[in-house]
Amino acid sequence: MIGALLLVGFAVSLFVGFNIGGATTGPAFGPAVGAGVISKLMAGALMATFFFVGAWTLGRRVVNTLGRDLVYDPGIFTIETSIVVLFFIGGALFVGNYAGVPASTSMTAVGAIAGLGVAAGELNWAVMGEIAVWWIVAPLLGFWVSGVVGRYFYPTINRWIAIDGSDGDLLTVDRSGAVPIPTSGPNTTRREIVGVVVVVAIGCLMAFSSGTSNIANAIAPLYGAGVDMNLLILLGCGAVTIGALTIARRTLDTLGNDITDLPLTAAIVVAVISSGIVIGLSAIGIPASFVIIATMSIVGLGWGRATRSITVSEGVRGEKKPNVSVGALTAEEPGEESPDIGEEDPADTPSAAELFNPETTGRVVLMQNVVPILSTVGAYATFYVLFRFWW
């Protein structure tokens, strides 16, 4: 009987890992895919590789936190309770992935475990409170830092980087020799290659960070029930790989294209800010809301860029001023000066609607709150009934 239950537990854990791959690939590589740097297939392969490295190394610490420290008595993690917890985690994440919105796996998993802990009277509220505070602070930090960069500093950064997509393929394959050799495209510039390397490398770093924090969301309940951690990490990463190569295509579209139009410079800015916050949280042992931080960084940058498209028609003392655009993000060519705020040519700047999609943003924010609530409330209600009327 226990063997059959354990197989069910493995199956549900794999389902959770599959949905984690779908939910986290978008924030890590959505900017690179949206900027046309890499394909969705390549994004999935890179996600799988670096997620595994993060899970096998630092991810063990977070597994121990969720499987042991979040509740006073780890004994509440039986095979039966672990299956129920994983069911709510996977089910809630699937709702978000089906809607094309990457939900926070950390919030969803911790919510389900917290539902079990509250129903059993074993939740460590001190640990839960510390995690919850950082979940509020970190996304706001990502949004406002990105917003400020988009509003005030992006033109200067764009002038420094000044990487526009060249015509033709970025890379080609020289098949003249015995071994095919990748080479740069005929119109590819050195600055463009450097920018591509940077944005992909940062995406890989984000995938690594995701592995350190998110592997626990798929396997921590079973680890608390006594299953070997190494086996669980291997199984979880395998499921993440499948999710990254399949269902993640929907979230890559949402994060790379639908929220805001991301040129290569913007992709680099988003990746640097969000990965920096995630790494900082991992360093202090907090299960990071990877998806929320990255998503809000993208939203913040799009909002900051859009707010530069304000029309001013009246002067301070009432004299009539000519209409001027407060310039959004122009794609300056190398060597061009970036216009100061209020000096941009309206004809050269995209509209706010082109830079920031409030409708899609609202859908993303709504679903990223609904999904964790589903897992938390569902787990609590289920365990409340089971503990009092069944077990």
Side-chain angles (χ1 to χ4, degrees):
M1 181 64 178
I2 294 297
L5 284 175
L6 186 58
L7 289 178
V8 174
F10 283 155
V12 180
S13 178
L14 291 174
F15 179 66
V16 174
F18 169 79
N19 282 284
I20 288 175
T24 58
T25 304
F29 292 101
V33 172
V37 172
I38 59 175
S39 66
K40 293 178 182 178
L41 178 62
M42 178 62 70
L46 291 173
M47 182 71 198
T49 301
F50 287 91
F51 186 97
F52 171 76
V53 176
W56 191 260
T57 54
L58 299 180
R60 299 170 182 271
R61 301 179 183 180
V62 184
V63 173
N64 190 70
T65 298
L66 297 188
R68 300 289 171 85
D69 297 342
L70 190 56
V71 294
Y72 289 115
D73 180 14
I76 65 173
F77 286 115
T78 63
I79 297 298
E80 294 86 351
T81 60
S82 297
I83 291 173
V84 176
V85 168
L86 289 169
F87 171 80
F88 280 106
I89 297 172
L93 289 176
F94 181 77
V95 170
N97 284 329
Y98 183 79
V101 177
S104 170
T105 54
S106 291
M107 294 177 68
T108 304
V110 172
I113 295 173
L116 167 62
V118 172
E122 295 291 342
L123 181 65
N124 188 330
W125 287 100
V127 174
M128 185 68 232
E130 182 181 3
I131 293 173
V133 167
W134 279 109
W135 280 351
I136 296 172
V137 172
L140 291 176
L141 181 62
F143 176 86
W144 285 111
V145 171
S146 298
V148 169
V149 170
R151 179 69 172 85
Y152 296 105
F153 303 109
Y154 187 92
T156 300
I157 296 174
N158 194 50
R159 186 185 63 216
W160 291 343
I161 298 175
I163 304 171
D164 294 320
S166 58
D167 295 331
D169 294 330
L170 179 67
L171 295 175
T172 59
V173 179
D174 183 2
R175 304 181 185 276
S176 59
V179 178
I181 301 175
T183 60
S184 60
N187 299 316
T188 302
T189 65
R190 179 177 300 179
R191 293 175 69 91
E192 186 177 6
I193 293 177
V194 171
V196 166
V197 171
V198 170
V199 75
V200 173
I202 294 173
C204 293
L205 185 61
M206 294 178 72
F208 171 85
S209 300
S210 177
T212 64
S213 62
N214 286 321
I215 187 62
N217 304 326
I219 68 174
L222 289 177
Y223 172 69
V227 182
D228 179 68
M229 185 183 294
N230 289 338
L231 173 62
L232 290 173
I233 290 177
L234 291 174
L235 290 175
C237 289
V240 168
T241 299
I242 297 174
L245 293 172
T246 54
I247 198 172
R249 293 174 178 269
R250 294 175 64 89
T251 57
L252 282 168
D253 284 335
T254 299
L255 270 295
N257 298 311
D258 293 348
I259 290 181
T260 180
D261 182 22
L262 286 178
L264 188 56
T265 302
I268 294 174
V269 171
V270 167
V272 168
I273 293 173
S274 55
S275 62
I277 295 175
V278 169
I279 291 171
L281 289 176
S282 299
I284 61 177
I286 300 296
S289 296
F290 171 81
V291 171
I292 300 291
I293 296 169
T295 301
M296 292 307 293
S297 295
I298 294 175
V299 172
L301 183 63
W303 173 81
R305 295 168 66 195
T307 58
R308 295 179 63 88
S309 298
I310 299 173
T311 299
V312 179
S313 59
E314 294 294 329
V316 177
R317 298 183 179 179
E319 69 259 31
K320 190 69 176 179
K321 295 284 187 180
N323 287 347
V324 293
S325 170
V326 183
L329 294 174
T330 58
E332 297 92 351
E333 296 295 331
E336 285 189 8
E337 292 295 327
S338 297
D340 294 329
I341 294 178
E343 297 180 356
E344 300 90 339
D345 183 354
D348 294 334
T349 59
S351 66
E354 294 175 311
L355 295 173
F356 179 66
N357 190 327
E359 181 180 350
T360 301
T361 300
R363 177 170 61 90
V364 169
V365 173
L366 175 64
M367 289 301 298
Q368 288 185 339
N369 284 277
V370 168
V371 169
I373 290 174
L374 286 176
S375 68
T376 305
V377 174
Y380 170 75
T382 300
F383 285 117
Y384 181 87
V385 172
L386 291 175
F387 285 145
R388 283 157 180 76
F389 303 105
W390 190 264
W391 290 337

